[in-house]
Amino acid sequence: MNPSLSCRSDLKTVFLIFFLLLIFTGCSQHDAETGISNDGSGTAAVDPGEADPDEDPLAEPGGEEDLLGEEGDDDLDEFDEFEDEFGDATANEVSDPLEGYNRVMTSFNDKLYFWVLKPVATGYKWLVPEMVRSGIANFFHNLLYPVRFVNNVLQLKFGNAGEETIRFLYNTTFGLLGVWDPGKEWLELDPHEEDFGQTLGYWGVGAGPHIVLPILGPSNLRDTFSLYPDNFVLDPKAYYVEGTERKVGVFAFEKVNDTSFRLGQYESIKKDAVDFYIFLRDGYEQIRIKEIKE
Amino acid sequence: MKQIIAVFLSCALLLAQPVMADELTKVRNIVDKNVKIFIGYVADKNMDKEVKKQKLIETIEPFFDFQTMALICLVKKHRKELSKVKGRRQEFVDVFVKRLQDSYLEKMDLYTDETVEVGEAKKVKKNIHVVTNLVGKDGKIEIIYKFRKTKKGWLVYDLEILGVSIVQTYRSQFASFLKNNTIEDLLVSLKTTDTFKMPEDKKQ
Protein backbone atom coordinates (compact mmCIF):
# COMPACT_ATOMS: atom_id res chain seq x y z
CA MET A 1 0.00 0.00 0.00
CA ASN A 2 1.19 3.47 -0.73
CA PRO A 3 2.59 4.89 2.51
CA SER A 4 0.43 7.97 2.36
CA LEU A 5 -2.60 5.85 1.85
CA SER A 6 -1.55 3.68 4.72
CA CYS A 7 -1.33 6.68 7.00
CA ARG A 8 -4.69 7.88 5.90
CA SER A 9 -6.22 4.48 6.41
CA ASP A 10 -4.86 4.46 9.93
CA LEU A 11 -6.36 7.87 10.47
CA LYS A 12 -9.74 6.63 9.42
CA THR A 13 -9.43 3.57 11.57
CA VAL A 14 -8.59 5.72 14.53
CA PHE A 15 -11.70 7.81 14.32
CA LEU A 16 -13.83 4.80 13.58
CA ILE A 17 -13.03 3.19 16.86
CA PHE A 18 -13.51 6.27 18.99
CA PHE A 19 -16.90 4.99 19.92
CA LEU A 20 -15.38 1.77 21.17
CA LEU A 21 -13.07 3.68 23.39
CA LEU A 22 -15.76 5.69 25.00
CA ILE A 23 -17.68 2.56 25.73
CA PHE A 24 -14.63 0.70 26.91
CA THR A 25 -13.85 3.45 29.30
CA GLY A 26 -17.36 3.71 30.56
CA CYS A 27 -17.64 0.01 31.05
CA SER A 28 -14.23 -0.03 32.55
CA GLN A 29 -15.54 1.90 35.46
CA HIS A 30 -18.55 0.16 36.73
CA ASP A 31 -21.45 -2.02 35.95
CA ALA A 32 -24.06 -1.52 38.56
CA GLU A 33 -26.51 -3.95 37.03
CA THR A 34 -24.12 -6.85 36.94
CA GLY A 35 -22.79 -6.03 40.35
CA ILE A 36 -19.21 -5.77 39.24
CA SER A 37 -17.37 -2.96 40.89
CA ASN A 38 -15.06 -0.58 39.13
CA ASP A 39 -12.08 -1.76 41.04
CA GLY A 40 -12.24 -5.02 39.23
CA SER A 41 -12.90 -7.05 42.32
CA GLY A 42 -16.23 -8.18 41.05
CA THR A 43 -17.67 -8.11 44.52
CA ALA A 44 -19.38 -4.82 45.24
CA ALA A 45 -22.41 -3.40 43.51
CA VAL A 46 -22.28 0.30 44.19
CA ASP A 47 -24.26 3.02 42.57
CA PRO A 48 -21.60 5.06 40.77
CA GLY A 49 -23.19 8.27 41.83
CA GLU A 50 -23.19 7.24 45.46
CA ALA A 51 -19.79 5.69 45.78
CA ASP A 52 -18.76 5.14 49.35
CA PRO A 53 -15.32 6.57 50.02
CA ASP A 54 -14.70 3.75 52.46
CA GLU A 55 -15.02 1.28 49.64
CA ASP A 56 -12.89 3.30 47.29
CA PRO A 57 -9.45 3.89 48.71
CA LEU A 58 -8.67 6.20 45.83
CA ALA A 59 -11.56 8.53 46.49
CA GLU A 60 -10.64 11.57 48.47
CA PRO A 61 -12.78 12.66 51.38
CA GLY A 62 -14.70 15.85 50.99
CA GLY A 63 -17.84 14.97 49.15
CA GLU A 64 -19.02 14.69 45.60
CA GLU A 65 -19.18 18.30 44.56
CA ASP A 66 -19.94 18.85 40.96
CA LEU A 67 -16.94 20.39 39.29
CA LEU A 68 -19.28 22.80 37.57
CA GLY A 69 -21.39 23.68 40.56
CA GLU A 70 -21.05 27.43 40.36
CA GLU A 71 -20.09 29.40 37.34
CA GLY A 72 -17.16 31.66 37.78
CA ASP A 73 -13.48 31.89 37.13
CA ASP A 74 -12.36 30.36 40.40
CA ASP A 75 -13.61 26.88 39.75
CA LEU A 76 -12.07 26.97 36.29
CA ASP A 77 -8.57 27.26 37.67
CA GLU A 78 -8.31 23.53 38.24
CA PHE A 79 -8.40 23.02 34.49
CA ASP A 80 -5.34 25.21 33.93
CA GLU A 81 -3.09 22.22 34.61
CA PHE A 82 -4.21 20.82 31.26
CA GLU A 83 -2.88 23.84 29.36
CA ASP A 84 0.63 22.42 29.64
CA GLU A 85 -0.43 18.98 28.50
CA PHE A 86 -2.41 20.08 25.47
CA GLY A 87 -0.63 23.29 24.58
CA ASP A 88 -2.04 26.45 23.09
CA ALA A 89 -4.35 25.40 20.29
CA THR A 90 -4.88 29.04 19.35
CA ALA A 91 -1.22 29.38 18.47
CA ASN A 92 -1.64 27.07 15.46
CA GLU A 93 1.02 24.62 16.59
CA VAL A 94 0.89 22.75 13.30
CA SER A 95 2.77 24.75 10.67
CA ASP A 96 0.11 25.63 8.15
CA PRO A 97 1.01 28.55 5.92
CA LEU A 98 -0.86 26.86 3.07
CA GLU A 99 -4.15 26.62 4.95
CA GLY A 100 -6.12 28.35 2.21
CA TYR A 101 -4.89 25.97 -0.49
CA ASN A 102 -5.20 23.01 1.87
CA ARG A 103 -8.84 23.72 2.58
CA VAL A 104 -9.57 23.96 -1.14
CA MET A 105 -7.76 20.67 -1.80
CA THR A 106 -9.59 18.99 1.09
CA SER A 107 -12.83 20.09 -0.53
CA PHE A 108 -11.63 18.77 -3.90
CA ASN A 109 -10.73 15.40 -2.39
CA ASP A 110 -14.09 15.34 -0.66
CA LYS A 111 -15.91 15.79 -3.98
CA LEU A 112 -13.67 13.22 -5.58
CA TYR A 113 -14.61 10.73 -2.92
CA PHE A 114 -18.35 11.26 -3.15
CA TRP A 115 -18.58 11.66 -6.92
CA VAL A 116 -16.05 9.07 -8.10
CA LEU A 117 -14.34 6.89 -5.56
CA LYS A 118 -17.34 5.95 -3.44
CA PRO A 119 -19.66 4.96 -6.31
CA VAL A 120 -16.92 2.95 -8.01
CA ALA A 121 -15.81 1.24 -4.78
CA THR A 122 -19.44 0.48 -3.87
CA GLY A 123 -20.01 -1.25 -7.20
CA TYR A 124 -16.68 -3.03 -6.94
CA LYS A 125 -17.51 -4.27 -3.47
CA TRP A 126 -20.85 -5.58 -4.70
CA LEU A 127 -19.16 -7.44 -7.54
CA VAL A 128 -16.07 -8.84 -5.85
CA PRO A 129 -16.24 -11.12 -2.78
CA GLU A 130 -14.44 -9.98 0.35
CA MET A 131 -12.05 -12.92 0.22
CA VAL A 132 -10.82 -11.87 -3.22
CA ARG A 133 -10.51 -8.22 -2.22
CA SER A 134 -8.52 -9.22 0.88
CA GLY A 135 -6.22 -11.31 -1.28
CA ILE A 136 -5.63 -8.37 -3.60
CA ALA A 137 -4.89 -6.06 -0.66
CA ASN A 138 -2.48 -8.64 0.79
CA PHE A 139 -0.74 -9.01 -2.58
CA PHE A 140 -0.09 -5.26 -2.89
CA HIS A 141 1.01 -5.05 0.73
CA ASN A 142 3.48 -7.88 0.28
CA LEU A 143 4.93 -6.15 -2.77
CA LEU A 144 5.94 -3.22 -0.60
CA TYR A 145 8.32 -5.34 1.46
CA PRO A 146 11.36 -3.38 0.19
CA VAL A 147 9.84 -0.14 1.48
CA ARG A 148 9.34 -1.59 4.95
CA PHE A 149 12.64 -3.46 5.03
CA VAL A 150 14.85 -0.56 3.95
CA ASN A 151 13.14 1.95 6.21
CA ASN A 152 13.35 -0.38 9.20
CA VAL A 153 17.07 -0.80 8.53
CA LEU A 154 17.56 2.95 8.09
CA GLN A 155 15.97 3.43 11.51
CA LEU A 156 18.25 0.75 12.98
CA LYS A 157 15.29 -1.52 13.68
CA PHE A 158 17.11 -4.64 12.58
CA GLY A 159 14.86 -7.05 14.43
CA ASN A 160 11.80 -5.65 12.69
CA ALA A 161 13.61 -5.78 9.35
CA GLY A 162 14.37 -9.46 10.00
CA GLU A 163 10.74 -10.19 10.80
CA GLU A 164 9.68 -8.38 7.65
CA THR A 165 12.02 -10.61 5.67
CA ILE A 166 10.63 -13.77 7.23
CA ARG A 167 7.10 -12.55 6.55
CA PHE A 168 7.98 -11.78 2.94
CA LEU A 169 9.53 -15.21 2.36
CA TYR A 170 6.59 -17.02 3.92
CA ASN A 171 3.92 -14.91 2.26
CA THR A 172 5.53 -15.00 -1.17
CA THR A 173 5.96 -18.79 -1.14
CA PHE A 174 3.37 -20.42 1.12
CA GLY A 175 1.11 -17.39 0.77
CA LEU A 176 0.97 -17.65 -3.03
CA LEU A 177 2.74 -14.38 -3.93
CA GLY A 178 1.36 -12.65 -0.88
CA VAL A 179 -2.32 -13.26 -1.52
CA TRP A 180 -2.51 -15.03 1.82
CA ASP A 181 -0.67 -14.02 5.00
CA PRO A 182 0.84 -17.11 6.66
CA GLY A 183 3.46 -14.87 8.25
CA LYS A 184 0.73 -13.63 10.53
CA GLU A 185 -1.50 -16.71 10.57
CA TRP A 186 1.24 -19.25 11.28
CA LEU A 187 4.09 -17.28 12.80
CA GLU A 188 2.05 -14.50 14.42
CA LEU A 189 4.39 -11.90 12.98
CA ASP A 190 2.78 -8.51 12.46
CA PRO A 191 4.07 -6.22 9.72
CA HIS A 192 6.27 -3.31 10.78
CA GLU A 193 5.04 -0.38 8.75
CA GLU A 194 7.80 2.13 8.13
CA ASP A 195 8.18 4.67 5.35
CA PHE A 196 10.79 7.20 4.38
CA GLY A 197 8.90 10.03 6.08
CA GLN A 198 9.24 8.15 9.36
CA THR A 199 12.91 7.52 8.61
CA LEU A 200 13.54 11.23 8.13
CA GLY A 201 11.56 11.97 11.28
CA TYR A 202 13.59 9.36 13.17
CA TRP A 203 16.77 11.23 12.26
CA GLY A 204 15.34 14.55 13.37
CA VAL A 205 13.86 16.02 10.21
CA GLY A 206 10.83 18.15 11.07
CA ALA A 207 7.44 17.77 9.44
CA GLY A 208 7.45 21.15 7.75
CA PRO A 209 4.25 22.81 6.57
CA HIS A 210 1.11 20.72 6.34
CA ILE A 211 0.16 19.95 2.74
CA VAL A 212 -3.01 18.32 1.45
CA LEU A 213 -2.21 16.32 -1.67
CA PRO A 214 -4.67 15.66 -4.46
CA ILE A 215 -6.25 12.21 -4.07
CA LEU A 216 -3.76 11.17 -1.35
CA GLY A 217 -5.06 13.62 1.26
CA PRO A 218 -3.26 14.98 4.35
CA SER A 219 0.53 15.12 4.30
CA ASN A 220 3.35 17.52 5.09
CA LEU A 221 6.49 18.69 3.33
CA ARG A 222 8.68 15.91 4.75
CA ASP A 223 6.21 13.16 3.92
CA THR A 224 5.51 14.57 0.46
CA PHE A 225 9.20 14.53 -0.33
CA SER A 226 9.35 10.98 0.98
CA LEU A 227 6.86 9.76 -1.57
CA TYR A 228 9.65 9.73 -4.15
CA PRO A 229 12.03 7.19 -2.57
CA ASP A 230 9.18 5.03 -1.35
CA ASN A 231 7.17 4.98 -4.55
CA PHE A 232 9.76 5.47 -7.29
CA VAL A 233 12.84 3.76 -5.84
CA LEU A 234 11.73 1.11 -3.36
CA ASP A 235 8.34 0.11 -4.72
CA PRO A 236 8.77 -2.79 -7.19
CA LYS A 237 5.80 -1.53 -9.19
CA ALA A 238 7.97 1.38 -10.30
CA TYR A 239 10.10 -1.11 -12.24
CA TYR A 240 7.65 -3.78 -13.30
CA VAL A 241 4.66 -1.67 -14.29
CA GLU A 242 5.60 0.11 -17.50
CA GLY A 243 4.02 3.25 -18.81
CA THR A 244 2.25 6.07 -17.03
CA GLU A 245 -1.21 4.88 -17.98
CA ARG A 246 -0.63 1.43 -16.50
CA LYS A 247 0.90 2.92 -13.37
CA VAL A 248 -2.14 5.15 -12.92
CA GLY A 249 -4.39 2.17 -13.58
CA VAL A 250 -2.68 0.04 -10.94
CA PHE A 251 -2.78 2.91 -8.45
CA ALA A 252 -6.47 3.50 -9.09
CA PHE A 253 -7.27 -0.21 -8.76
CA GLU A 254 -5.38 -0.42 -5.47
CA LYS A 255 -7.16 2.68 -4.22
CA VAL A 256 -10.60 1.34 -5.13
CA ASN A 257 -9.85 -2.04 -3.57
CA ASP A 258 -8.65 -0.35 -0.38
CA THR A 259 -11.68 1.93 -0.25
CA SER A 260 -14.05 -1.01 -0.64
CA PHE A 261 -13.12 -2.05 2.92
CA ARG A 262 -13.72 1.41 4.32
CA LEU A 263 -16.96 2.61 2.82
CA GLY A 264 -18.89 4.68 5.31
CA GLN A 265 -15.89 5.49 7.45
CA TYR A 266 -15.08 8.76 5.72
CA GLU A 267 -18.67 9.93 6.05
CA SER A 268 -18.58 8.97 9.69
CA ILE A 269 -15.53 10.99 10.64
CA LYS A 270 -16.74 13.93 8.57
CA LYS A 271 -19.99 13.92 10.44
CA ASP A 272 -18.18 13.98 13.79
CA ALA A 273 -15.99 16.96 12.98
CA VAL A 274 -16.72 20.56 13.82
CA ASP A 275 -14.01 21.76 11.43
CA PHE A 276 -13.28 18.83 9.17
CA TYR A 277 -10.05 20.22 7.74
CA ILE A 278 -8.56 20.84 11.20
CA PHE A 279 -9.82 17.44 12.32
CA LEU A 280 -7.93 15.71 9.48
CA ARG A 281 -4.87 17.92 9.76
CA ASP A 282 -4.31 17.45 13.47
CA GLY A 283 -5.21 13.79 13.36
CA TYR A 284 -2.67 13.20 10.62
CA GLU A 285 0.12 15.12 12.32
CA GLN A 286 -0.50 13.45 15.69
CA ILE A 287 -0.44 10.00 14.11
CA ARG A 288 2.82 10.75 12.32
CA ILE A 289 4.45 11.95 15.53
CA LYS A 290 3.39 8.74 17.22
CA GLU A 291 4.61 6.56 14.34
CA ILE A 292 8.00 8.25 14.32
CA LYS A 293 8.41 7.85 18.07
CA GLU A 294 7.77 4.12 17.89
CA MET B 1 19.75 15.75 62.75
CA LYS B 2 20.56 15.24 59.07
CA GLN B 3 20.64 11.52 59.64
CA ILE B 4 17.20 11.59 61.20
CA ILE B 5 15.81 13.56 58.27
CA ALA B 6 17.47 11.22 55.81
CA VAL B 7 16.02 8.18 57.56
CA PHE B 8 12.61 9.84 57.67
CA LEU B 9 12.71 10.66 53.96
CA SER B 10 13.86 7.16 53.10
CA CYS B 11 11.01 5.67 55.06
CA ALA B 12 8.55 8.02 53.40
CA LEU B 13 9.83 7.02 49.97
CA LEU B 14 9.67 3.34 50.78
CA LEU B 15 6.11 3.71 52.02
CA ALA B 16 5.09 5.80 49.00
CA GLN B 17 6.16 3.18 46.47
CA PRO B 18 3.65 0.48 47.47
CA VAL B 19 0.88 3.11 47.64
CA MET B 20 1.59 4.19 44.09
CA ALA B 21 1.91 0.59 42.93
CA ASP B 22 -1.44 -0.10 44.52
CA GLU B 23 -3.02 2.83 42.70
CA LEU B 24 -1.54 1.76 39.38
CA THR B 25 -2.87 -1.75 39.88
CA LYS B 26 -6.24 -0.40 40.86
CA VAL B 27 -6.58 1.82 37.80
CA ARG B 28 -5.32 -0.91 35.50
CA ASN B 29 -7.89 -3.28 36.94
CA ILE B 30 -10.63 -0.78 36.16
CA VAL B 31 -9.84 -1.16 32.49
CA ASP B 32 -8.95 -4.83 32.56
CA LYS B 33 -11.99 -6.12 34.38
CA ASN B 34 -14.61 -4.09 32.63
CA VAL B 35 -13.49 -4.54 29.08
CA LYS B 36 -15.05 -7.96 29.46
CA ILE B 37 -18.30 -6.34 30.46
CA PHE B 38 -18.13 -4.15 27.39
CA ILE B 39 -17.50 -7.10 25.13
CA GLY B 40 -20.46 -8.84 26.68
CA TYR B 41 -22.79 -5.91 26.02
CA VAL B 42 -21.71 -5.17 22.50
CA ALA B 43 -21.38 -8.76 21.37
CA ASP B 44 -24.89 -9.50 22.59
CA LYS B 45 -26.72 -9.60 19.28
CA ASN B 46 -30.05 -10.33 20.93
CA MET B 47 -30.14 -7.16 22.99
CA ASP B 48 -32.30 -4.41 21.53
CA LYS B 49 -30.11 -1.73 19.99
CA GLU B 50 -31.71 1.17 21.83
CA VAL B 51 -31.69 -0.68 25.13
CA LYS B 52 -28.04 -1.49 24.60
CA LYS B 53 -27.19 2.15 23.93
CA GLN B 54 -29.09 3.26 26.99
CA LYS B 55 -27.35 0.71 29.18
CA LEU B 56 -23.97 1.79 27.90
CA ILE B 57 -24.70 5.47 28.44
CA GLU B 58 -25.98 4.84 31.94
CA THR B 59 -22.84 2.90 32.64
CA ILE B 60 -20.54 5.52 31.17
CA GLU B 61 -21.93 8.70 32.63
CA PRO B 62 -21.07 8.29 36.31
CA PHE B 63 -17.45 7.40 35.71
CA PHE B 64 -16.37 9.12 32.57
CA ASP B 65 -15.32 12.67 33.36
CA PHE B 66 -17.18 14.18 30.43
CA GLN B 67 -17.43 17.58 32.06
CA THR B 68 -13.71 17.97 32.44
CA MET B 69 -13.23 16.57 28.98
CA ALA B 70 -15.64 19.11 27.51
CA LEU B 71 -14.09 22.07 29.29
CA ILE B 72 -10.48 21.22 28.49
CA CYS B 73 -11.44 20.97 24.83
CA LEU B 74 -11.49 24.76 25.08
CA VAL B 75 -8.36 26.77 25.71
CA LYS B 76 -8.21 28.86 28.87
CA LYS B 77 -9.45 32.14 27.41
CA HIS B 78 -12.43 30.46 25.77
CA ARG B 79 -13.30 28.66 29.00
CA LYS B 80 -13.37 31.99 30.79
CA GLU B 81 -15.43 33.55 28.03
CA LEU B 82 -17.86 30.67 28.24
CA SER B 83 -18.50 31.43 31.89
CA LYS B 84 -19.40 35.07 31.36
CA VAL B 85 -23.01 34.18 30.63
CA LYS B 86 -24.87 32.30 33.33
CA GLY B 87 -25.82 28.79 32.33
CA ARG B 88 -23.81 28.81 29.13
CA ARG B 89 -21.01 26.66 30.48
CA GLN B 90 -23.34 23.88 31.51
CA GLU B 91 -25.14 24.19 28.18
CA PHE B 92 -21.83 23.72 26.38
CA VAL B 93 -20.97 20.67 28.47
CA ASP B 94 -24.40 19.14 27.89
CA VAL B 95 -24.32 19.74 24.15
CA PHE B 96 -20.76 18.48 23.80
CA VAL B 97 -21.38 15.34 25.82
CA LYS B 98 -24.57 14.53 23.95
CA ARG B 99 -22.79 15.01 20.66
CA LEU B 100 -19.98 12.68 21.68
CA GLN B 101 -22.33 10.02 22.93
CA ASP B 102 -24.66 10.17 19.95
CA SER B 103 -21.80 10.28 17.54
CA TYR B 104 -19.96 7.27 18.80
CA LEU B 105 -22.68 5.06 20.14
CA GLU B 106 -24.41 5.05 16.77
CA LYS B 107 -21.34 3.33 15.36
CA MET B 108 -21.73 0.39 17.66
CA ASP B 109 -22.51 -1.89 14.73
CA LEU B 110 -18.95 -1.50 13.49
CA TYR B 111 -17.84 -3.86 16.24
CA THR B 112 -17.06 -7.32 14.88
CA ASP B 113 -14.78 -9.62 16.82
CA GLU B 114 -12.15 -7.31 18.29
CA THR B 115 -10.53 -8.17 21.58
CA VAL B 116 -8.57 -6.00 23.98
CA GLU B 117 -5.17 -6.59 25.53
CA VAL B 118 -4.62 -4.49 28.62
CA GLY B 119 -1.01 -3.50 29.15
CA GLU B 120 0.69 -1.62 31.92
CA ALA B 121 -0.53 1.38 33.87
CA LYS B 122 1.99 4.21 34.01
CA LYS B 123 2.26 7.21 36.25
CA VAL B 124 2.52 10.34 34.10
CA LYS B 125 2.98 13.38 36.30
CA LYS B 126 -0.08 13.34 38.56
CA ASN B 127 -2.12 11.17 36.21
CA ILE B 128 -2.19 7.50 35.30
CA HIS B 129 -2.19 6.18 31.74
CA VAL B 130 -3.35 2.66 30.94
CA VAL B 131 -2.07 1.29 27.64
CA THR B 132 -4.27 -1.18 25.81
CA ASN B 133 -4.37 -2.71 22.35
CA LEU B 134 -7.51 -3.27 20.34
CA VAL B 135 -6.81 -6.44 18.40
CA GLY B 136 -8.73 -7.12 15.21
CA LYS B 137 -8.12 -8.90 11.96
CA ASP B 138 -6.31 -5.82 10.60
CA GLY B 139 -3.84 -5.76 13.46
CA LYS B 140 -3.44 -3.92 16.75
CA ILE B 141 -4.48 -0.39 17.57
CA GLU B 142 -2.95 1.18 20.65
CA ILE B 143 -5.36 2.97 22.92
CA ILE B 144 -4.30 4.90 26.00
CA TYR B 145 -6.78 5.73 28.73
CA LYS B 146 -5.76 8.84 30.64
CA PHE B 147 -7.00 8.87 34.21
CA ARG B 148 -7.02 11.81 36.56
CA LYS B 149 -7.63 11.72 40.28
CA THR B 150 -10.70 13.72 41.25
CA LYS B 151 -12.95 13.98 44.24
CA LYS B 152 -14.95 11.17 42.69
CA GLY B 153 -11.90 8.92 42.33
CA TRP B 154 -9.94 8.10 39.22
CA LEU B 155 -11.77 9.22 36.09
CA VAL B 156 -10.84 9.27 32.43
CA TYR B 157 -10.32 12.76 31.01
CA ASP B 158 -8.88 11.86 27.61
CA LEU B 159 -8.31 8.96 25.25
CA GLU B 160 -5.42 8.61 22.87
CA ILE B 161 -5.73 6.31 19.88
CA LEU B 162 -2.62 5.64 17.83
CA GLY B 163 -1.28 8.87 19.22
CA VAL B 164 -4.39 10.92 18.45
CA SER B 165 -5.86 12.59 21.50
CA ILE B 166 -9.61 13.19 21.42
CA VAL B 167 -9.23 16.30 23.57
CA GLN B 168 -6.35 17.66 21.51
CA THR B 169 -8.25 17.19 18.28
CA TYR B 170 -11.32 18.98 19.58
CA ARG B 171 -9.20 21.75 21.09
CA SER B 172 -7.69 22.49 17.72
CA GLN B 173 -11.05 22.44 16.00
CA PHE B 174 -12.72 24.67 18.58
CA ALA B 175 -9.80 27.10 18.64
CA SER B 176 -9.89 27.33 14.86
CA PHE B 177 -13.66 27.76 14.83
CA LEU B 178 -13.58 30.46 17.51
CA LYS B 179 -11.09 32.57 15.59
CA ASN B 180 -13.91 33.83 13.40
CA ASN B 181 -16.99 32.80 15.35
CA THR B 182 -18.56 33.29 18.76
CA ILE B 183 -19.26 30.84 21.55
CA GLU B 184 -22.93 30.99 20.55
CA ASP B 185 -21.96 29.97 17.01
CA LEU B 186 -20.02 27.04 18.42
CA LEU B 187 -23.03 25.90 20.44
CA VAL B 188 -25.19 26.05 17.32
CA SER B 189 -22.58 24.13 15.37
CA LEU B 190 -22.34 21.45 18.04
CA LYS B 191 -26.10 21.04 17.97
CA THR B 192 -26.04 20.63 14.19
CA THR B 193 -24.45 17.27 13.72
CA ASP B 194 -26.54 15.24 11.39
CA THR B 195 -25.26 16.58 8.12
CA PHE B 196 -24.40 13.10 6.86
CA LYS B 197 -26.37 9.94 7.24
CA MET B 198 -24.51 6.73 7.81
CA PRO B 199 -24.91 4.38 4.87
CA GLU B 200 -27.12 1.38 5.40
CA ASP B 201 -24.28 -1.05 5.09
CA LYS B 202 -21.88 -0.05 7.84
CA LYS B 203 -19.99 -3.29 8.14
CA GLN B 204 -17.20 -3.93 5.72
Side-chain angles (χ1 to χ4, degrees):
Chain A
M1 185 184 295
N2 182 301
S4 285
L5 294 181
S6 174
C7 293
R8 194 166 176 198
S9 298
D10 285 345
L11 181 67
K12 291 175 182 175
T13 306
V14 162
F15 293 110
L16 264 174
I17 60 166
F18 269 13
F19 85 104
L20 290 173
L21 313 174
L22 293 176
I23 299 166
F24 279 160
T25 309
C27 292
S28 75
Q29 307 297 322
H30 183 84
D31 185 337
E33 294 200 2
T34 55
I36 297 175
S37 69
N38 70 345
D39 65 1
S41 65
T43 55
V46 181
D47 184 336
E50 299 174 359
D52 183 349
D54 291 336
E55 293 185 18
D56 182 1
L58 299 181
E60 290 178 347
E64 300 277 331
E65 297 94 332
D66 188 337
L67 293 174
L68 301 175
E70 291 293 330
E71 291 203 350
D73 288 351
D74 290 347
D75 61 331
L76 285 176
D77 291 344
E78 70 168 289
F79 300 114
D80 291 351
E81 68 183 74
F82 292 104
E83 296 301 303
D84 290 338
E85 178 173 348
F86 295 110
D88 183 3
T90 58
N92 205 8
E93 293 187 336
V94 175
S95 172
D96 197 4
L98 304 173
E99 182 174 346
Y101 155 81
N102 286 337
R103 285 185 181 274
V104 171
M105 190 51 70
T106 299
S107 179
F108 170 80
N109 287 339
D110 183 77
K111 299 283 187 296
L112 192 72
Y113 173 79
F114 283 106
W115 292 353
V116 181
L117 191 55
K118 184 180 177 183
V120 172
T122 303
Y124 173 79
K125 181 185 175 186
W126 183 76
L127 279 172
V128 183
E130 183 178 353
M131 189 176 71
V132 177
R133 289 183 287 122
S134 291
I136 291 168
N138 288 341
F139 170 77
F140 280 120
H141 185 265
N142 191 54
L143 270 186
L144 291 178
Y145 157 73
V147 176
R148 295 187 295 275
F149 176 79
V150 169
N151 283 300
N152 270 294
V153 169
L154 290 175
Q155 293 174 54
L156 312 180
K157 297 173 180 173
F158 300 114
N160 291 353
E163 287 190 2
E164 276 294 333
T165 302
I166 295 169
R167 276 179 51 80
F168 178 71
L169 292 174
Y170 261 71
N171 291 351
T172 305
T173 52
F174 301 120
L176 306 174
L177 298 178
V179 170
W180 185 47
D181 190 355
K184 185 172 182 179
E185 299 285 333
W186 294 353
L187 306 176
E188 296 184 347
L189 292 177
D190 288 319
H192 300 284
E193 309 289 353
E194 298 291 347
D195 57 54
F196 199 69
Q198 288 168 262
T199 298
L200 291 178
Y202 176 86
W203 292 106
V205 178
H210 187 75
I211 301 171
V212 179
L213 299 172
I215 305 171
L216 298 177
S219 186
N220 54 46
L221 185 60
R222 179 195 60 216
D223 295 344
T224 301
F225 168 77
S226 302
L227 290 174
Y228 182 79
D230 283 345
N231 292 277
F232 296 98
V233 179
L234 297 172
D235 185 347
K237 296 195 291 294
Y239 304 101
Y240 293 106
V241 180
E242 294 180 350
T244 305
E245 288 181 2
R246 286 185 181 177
K247 282 186 167 67
V248 171
V250 169
F251 169 79
F253 176 60
E254 198 178 346
K255 179 83 172 169
V256 168
N257 190 68
D258 180 56
T259 305
S260 73
F261 292 99
R262 307 178 190 286
L263 287 167
Q265 297 184 6
Y266 179 82
E267 295 89 327
S268 178
I269 60 170
K270 182 172 180 177
K271 180 183 169 186
D272 291 342
V274 175
D275 184 329
F276 188 48
Y277 167 67
I278 300 292
F279 190 79
L280 289 177
R281 185 195 72 183
D282 278 37
Y284 177 82
E285 297 295 346
Q286 286 186 62
I287 286 174
R288 293 299 281 171
I289 290 169
K290 172 84 171 175
E291 288 175 339
I292 289 165
K293 278 183 184 171
E294 287 176 345
Chain B
M1 185 62 186
K2 284 180 182 176
Q3 286 177 327
I4 293 172
I5 293 173
V7 170
F8 177 77
L9 287 174
S10 300
C11 290
L13 280 172
L14 284 172
L15 288 171
Q17 290 301 321
V19 170
M20 178 45 62
D22 184 49
E23 292 199 349
L24 290 173
T25 303
K26 172 106 178 174
V27 174
R28 184 191 178 279
N29 284 346
I30 289 173
V31 176
D32 186 39
K33 184 75 181 180
N34 293 285
V35 158
K36 291 168 188 166
I37 298 170
F38 161 76
I39 296 292
Y41 271 135
V42 179
D44 186 352
K45 302 297 180 189
N46 296 322
M47 188 182 288
D48 179 77
K49 202 171 172 179
E50 291 305 314
V51 172
K52 188 185 291 187
K53 281 184 184 177
Q54 191 56 38
K55 277 181 174 289
L56 289 169
I57 288 174
E58 286 172 2
T59 306
I60 290 168
E61 279 181 336
F63 291 96
F64 199 96
D65 198 350
F66 280 119
Q67 292 187 328
T68 293
M69 191 174 179
L71 288 172
I72 62 177
C73 282
L74 293 172
V75 297
K76 187 174 180 178
K77 70 173 183 179
H78 293 144
R79 273 200 305 274
K80 287 188 178 295
E81 194 180 333
L82 189 68
S83 301
K84 286 179 180 172
V85 176
K86 187 173 174 58
R88 195 167 58 173
R89 193 201 306 174
Q90 191 59 52
E91 183 187 4
F92 170 76
V93 169
D94 291 344
V95 168
F96 178 81
V97 171
K98 184 173 188 313
R99 181 189 172 99
L100 267 183
Q101 290 179 345
D102 288 350
S103 172
Y104 296 115
L105 287 176
E106 79 169 17
K107 301 175 184 66
M108 205 162 46
D109 287 348
L110 290 169
Y111 173 83
T112 51
D113 56 354
E114 290 86 353
T115 58
V116 177
E117 296 171 349
V118 181
E120 61 175 339
K122 296 184 291 190
K123 178 88 173 161
V124 179
K125 295 185 178 174
K126 292 191 296 182
N127 303 322
I128 291 178
H129 293 184
V130 181
V131 181
T132 69
N133 283 298
L134 187 65
V135 185
K137 61 181 178 181
D138 294 330
K140 293 180 179 179
I141 296 172
E142 186 185 84
I143 303 159
I144 298 174
Y145 299 83
K146 297 182 179 177
F147 285 83
R148 168 181 180 247
K149 194 172 188 179
T150 72
K151 292 172 181 175
K152 295 180 179 178
W154 288 94
L155 300 176
V156 171
Y157 68 92
D158 188 21
L159 297 165
E160 197 174 289
I161 308 102
L162 283 174
V164 178
S165 152
I166 289 181
V167 168
Q168 186 74 67
T169 307
Y170 272 109
R171 269 171 82 91
S172 299
Q173 289 183 81
F174 290 166
S176 172
F177 185 89
L178 290 170
K179 276 182 188 171
N180 302 312
N181 298 280
T182 64
I183 294 282
E184 277 68 30
D185 294 333
L186 178 61
L187 286 168
V188 171
S189 177
L190 284 172
K191 289 172 186 171
T192 313
T193 58
D194 205 14
T195 52
F196 286 87
K197 293 287 184 189
M198 284 291 286
E200 290 297 315
D201 183 7
K202 296 173 194 168
K203 290 183 179 178
Q204 304 303 316

